[in-house]
Amino acid sequence: MEITDEIVDHIAHLARLEFNGDDKVNIKKDLSNIIDFIDQLNAVDTEGVEPLIFMSDAINVLREDKFEPSITQAEALKNAPNHDSDYFKIAKVLKK
Amino acid sequence: MYNSFAEIKSALSQGDSVENITTYYLDRIKSHEHLNIFLEVFSEEALSQARVIDEKINAGTAGKLAGMVIGLKDNLAFKGHRVSAASKILDGFESLYTATAVERLIAEDAIIIGRLNCDEFAMGSSNENSAFGPVKNPHNEKMVPGGSSGGSSAAIAANLCTVSLGSDTGGSIRQPASFSGVIGFKPTYGRISRYGLLAYASSFDQIGPFSTTVEDTAIVSAIMSGKDDYDSTLHQSDVSAYNLEFDSNKKLKIAYIQDCLERDGIDPEIKSRTLEVIEDLRSKGHQVEPVSFPYLDQMVPTYYVLTTAEASSNYSRYDGVHFGYQADDVAGVENTYKKSRSEGFGEEVKRRIMTGTFVLSHGYYDAYYTKGQKVRRVIQNKTKEIFNDYDFVILPTTPSTAFEIGKNADDPITMYLQDIFTVQANLAGNPAISLPLGKHSNGLPFGIQVMADHLDEENLLAFANFMMTECH
């Protein structure tokens, strides 16, 4: 399948990734090869076959709904690259 | 020299100490630093834990794993310790909790000695995709150790810990076990809690051990297995210790997949050694028969459609805002996401996120993702059919021995085909083990794989133990 610049841009946007210059040339080529490779799926007749979605036979494995603390706010913020005492911070959209 | 947990226990009974054993491994880790196996060693903590366990042994209160030293693949959470999945995007990240599997080992007094290098986010078959450089194969430093759990297999091959943990999504435990000449075991999907395992493809991922003996694999697997409040996909049956006794009077029905052995590209020595084992099993009275598995060519493509789709969804959490790496010079949310992810993820991870996003995207979803799920059922049904008639399936673990570092780096598809004999167990959810089968004339080790029916770990491990001790 031919992968166009438009397809790469669209998929990259959905995936929140960017490809420019050589990276874009490479990902186009790689995607095209990978999609040709996965096209081999079509050799299997799946007429009337239900998709396999759950790997486990267990149904509705629920636990008791207990009230208990999980992580604190400080712990939740601890690994963020940019935060104050209450919030995750993102870079300003408008620069002065 | 401690080559197994049995040797450690016998040394301890003769007055050796856990501290001394830990020091032994720490010294070996230091003298093998050039292999790039460990990303971090918890030296001080391991030693102080060792002294605590020595006291417990003296007091008669030590757990079942007292004296065992374990290395963790760097995609397992351990509270208060870094975990990076060998990726730049988790720069600085420290776990807020411990993976259930790891927690259970610690509760039995195992010592966690450090974090082991791997392919970034467990994506790869050579350990060359690590943001921290490739691991070298202890048998030959020019060669890869396999992947993605390459640090874990190499750590056992170089005797840097007693047991190591890895994760297996398409062969990431068994393939490096084969390349490194050690035992690698992937339990049934849903046997061991995935809580605290950094997800790659959630309907495939399974934690499992590397070791030098089946006994060690059995003891840690049993301890890690069983239900957990934090993973609702687990089988709800309890797992007690695995009994490895093998009744040699029992005659087994074993299948081998002829298509694997007849495939172009399989190394002739691996093929002939596999056939020798089959003959040996026959000579011991077992019925070993060829079966055909017509979907060999479609297995790796099916695996790629489904795992990349799951990965593209799982990896949306790495956004450069909530934890880990954030790019400089960003403005606003979307730009922060795009720049941080593009700089933080390595090439192979981006390739698979793009593939997964493509197969899930509007217009392609049914043709690829739904089709992949249907083919997965066809493969699972065919695998079940085989286990209706046979106790075990035997096949090579890998079509070749370890390749040179850098050799397949530019060809993703050749690299993907490394998994051709191992993905069946992940697609169908079955347990499978790779056992070392000696050395090739090129000096490198390779393995043989045994697969069993769902939840049949106990018989599989007993048979594996029999093969390791009685088969030639």
Side-chain angles (χ1 to χ4, degrees):
Chain A
M1 175 175 170
E2 202 207 325
I3 300 294
T4 59
D5 278 354
E6 288 70 39
I7 294 179
V8 170
D9 291 342
H10 173 61
I11 299 298
H13 172 69
L14 292 175
R16 300 297 186 269
L17 290 169
E18 285 173 345
F19 296 90
N20 301 303
D22 283 352
D23 288 347
K24 192 159 173 177
V25 175
N26 291 336
I27 192 76
K28 246 169 78 173
K29 188 188 80 188
D30 288 342
L31 267 185
S32 166
N33 289 339
I34 292 169
I35 289 158
D36 287 345
F37 177 67
I38 62 183
D39 272 331
Q40 292 180 76
L41 284 184
N42 293 317
V44 182
D45 179 8
T46 53
E47 189 65 39
V49 177
E50 282 298 307
L52 178 58
I53 297 171
F54 301 109
M55 291 308 289
S56 139
D57 301 332
I59 296 167
N60 291 346
V61 178
L62 303 173
R63 63 182 161 84
E64 200 142 343
D65 188 17
K66 283 179 294 196
F67 178 81
E68 55 185 359
S70 51
I71 60 169
T72 64
Q73 186 185 31
E75 283 176 318
L77 290 167
K78 167 181 126 155
N79 283 304
N82 197 357
H83 64 91
D84 61 19
S85 57
D86 294 308
Y87 297 102
F88 296 102
K89 286 172 78 176
I90 54 148
K92 281 197 176 105
V93 180
L94 298 171
K95 290 196 171 147
K96 276 186 197 163
Chain B
M1 195 75 181
Y2 311 98
N3 285 311
S4 65
F5 190 43
E7 289 183 17
I8 286 174
K9 280 195 289 194
S10 111
L12 287 172
S13 72
Q14 286 160 38
D16 202 349
S17 70
V18 181
E19 185 177 3
N20 188 42
I21 291 160
T22 308
T23 305
Y24 164 83
Y25 285 122
L26 289 171
D27 288 345
R28 287 193 64 85
I29 291 170
K30 200 144 189 62
S31 62
H32 290 77
E33 262 173 1
H34 61 288
L35 299 177
N36 202 24
I37 292 172
F38 276 86
L39 293 178
E40 186 181 355
V41 185
F42 309 138
S43 310
E44 287 311 308
E45 188 186 351
L47 283 172
S48 83
Q49 195 55 30
R51 289 187 280 268
V52 171
I53 293 165
D54 278 327
E55 278 168 28
K56 283 191 179 178
I57 291 175
N58 289 335
T61 58
K64 278 185 245 172
L65 299 181
M68 186 182 277
V69 175
I70 295 179
L72 303 180
K73 184 177 184 179
D74 191 34
N75 62 355
L76 289 159
F78 181 19
K79 189 173 179 169
H81 297 76
R82 300 269 317 272
V83 62
S84 77
S87 178
K88 198 175 149 187
I89 206 155
L90 274 165
D91 188 35
F93 183 84
E94 212 172 77
S95 297
L96 300 177
Y97 57 85
T98 300
T100 300
V102 177
E103 187 93 64
R104 289 180 182 173
L105 299 177
I106 294 172
E108 291 293 347
D109 288 331
I111 288 173
I112 306 299
I113 199 156
R115 299 191 284 130
L116 293 159
N117 204 346
C118 55
D119 280 302
E120 184 179 357
F121 284 104
M123 291 180 165
S125 305
S126 66
N127 217 117
E128 292 166 292
N129 295 335
S130 166
F132 306 103
V135 172
K136 295 171 181 166
N137 192 320
H139 294 278
N140 179 337
E141 295 175 16
K142 287 199 184 84
M143 302 291 168
V144 304
S148 66
S149 313
S152 305
S153 65
I156 299 305
N159 198 18
L160 310 185
C161 49
T162 330
V163 163
S164 61
L165 297 190
S167 62
D168 192 316
T169 305
S172 277
I173 289 176
R174 291 158 288 149
Q175 187 259 13
S178 174
F179 279 12
S180 302
V182 300
I183 296 170
F185 176 47
K186 182 200 89 77
T188 308
Y189 177 83
R191 200 44 134 171
I192 295 176
S193 170
R194 287 178 292 111
Y195 181 68
L197 169 68
L198 276 61
Y200 160 16
S202 307
S203 78
F204 290 77
D205 297 342
Q206 194 51 208
I207 296 171
F210 291 86
S211 68
T212 57
T213 66
V214 175
E215 210 179 357
D216 291 353
T217 281
I219 183 171
V220 297
S221 298
I223 289 169
M224 292 190 289
S225 296
K227 57 189 172 194
D228 174 23
D229 280 351
Y230 298 106
D231 181 353
S232 63
T233 62
L234 287 174
H235 293 281
Q236 296 299 298
S237 50
D238 287 321
V239 177
S240 48
Y242 292 127
N243 178 0
L244 296 183
E245 230 158 279
F246 182 77
D247 177 5
S248 50
N249 293 317
K250 193 179 159 196
K251 298 306 169 207
L252 296 168
K253 267 190 89 181
I254 300 163
Y256 68 93
I257 297 181
Q258 203 165 16
D259 312 66
C260 293
L261 291 177
E262 276 164 16
R263 199 182 156 77
D264 286 343
I266 183 168
D267 182 287
E269 276 185 48
I270 294 183
K271 177 178 174 173
S272 64
R273 275 295 285 131
T274 307
L275 287 169
E276 274 172 43
V277 172
I278 288 168
E279 272 317 307
D280 190 44
L281 286 168
R282 282 181 180 143
S283 76
K284 293 181 165 65
H286 303 293
Q287 194 179 335
V288 192
E289 294 171 346
V291 296
S292 125
F293 196 84
Y295 308 110
L296 205 56
D297 285 328
Q298 285 81 37
M299 281 203 283
V300 180
T302 307
Y303 166 80
Y304 270 87
V305 168
L306 299 176
T307 56
T308 57
E310 292 185 26
S312 78
S313 162
N314 277 328
Y315 294 178
S316 60
R317 73 192 60 165
Y318 303 105
D319 59 8
V321 174
H322 294 91
F323 42 77
Y325 175 80
Q326 186 174 80
D328 295 330
D329 280 331
V330 286
V333 181
E334 191 169 293
N335 183 248
T336 303
Y337 290 168
K338 284 187 175 174
K339 240 185 136 189
S340 303
R341 287 165 62 82
S342 298
E343 290 176 14
F345 286 130
E347 222 174 285
E348 181 58 28
V349 176
K350 284 192 267 192
R351 208 157 22 223
R352 294 199 200 183
I353 292 176
M354 287 291 282
T355 307
T357 306
F358 174 82
V359 302
L360 290 173
S361 66
H362 182 72
Y364 300 104
Y365 185 94
D366 283 334
Y368 291 104
Y369 186 63
T370 308
K371 177 77 183 181
Q373 290 180 316
K374 288 179 179 174
V375 178
R376 190 179 195 183
R377 186 179 297 279
V378 170
I379 290 169
Q380 192 189 55
N381 285 346
K382 182 72 196 170
T383 306
K384 277 185 183 163
E385 243 174 61
I386 296 175
F387 285 111
N388 286 339
D389 295 328
Y390 296 93
D391 298 295
F392 302 111
V393 170
I394 285 184
L395 63 172
T397 310
T398 50
S400 68
T401 55
F403 48 87
E404 255 175 76
I405 293 173
K407 191 185 153 218
N408 291 332
D410 297 330
D411 185 355
I413 299 212
T414 303
M415 197 69 102
Y416 296 173
L417 288 169
Q418 277 296 317
D419 291 333
I420 185 140
F421 300 150
T422 48
V423 283
Q424 184 181 0
N426 304 83
L427 284 163
N430 295 63
I433 191 165
S434 177
L435 304 170
L437 200 53
K439 281 195 177 174
H440 192 275
S441 60
N442 66 15
L444 291 165
F446 61 94
I448 188 166
Q449 194 182 186
V450 188
M451 184 163 59
D453 204 357
H454 285 212
L455 306 178
D456 205 17
E457 278 88 356
E458 182 157 89
N459 288 321
L460 173 62
L461 292 172
F463 179 62
N465 199 33
F466 159 78
M467 281 185 69
M468 286 292 285
T469 48
E470 310 277 331
C471 280
H472 304 288

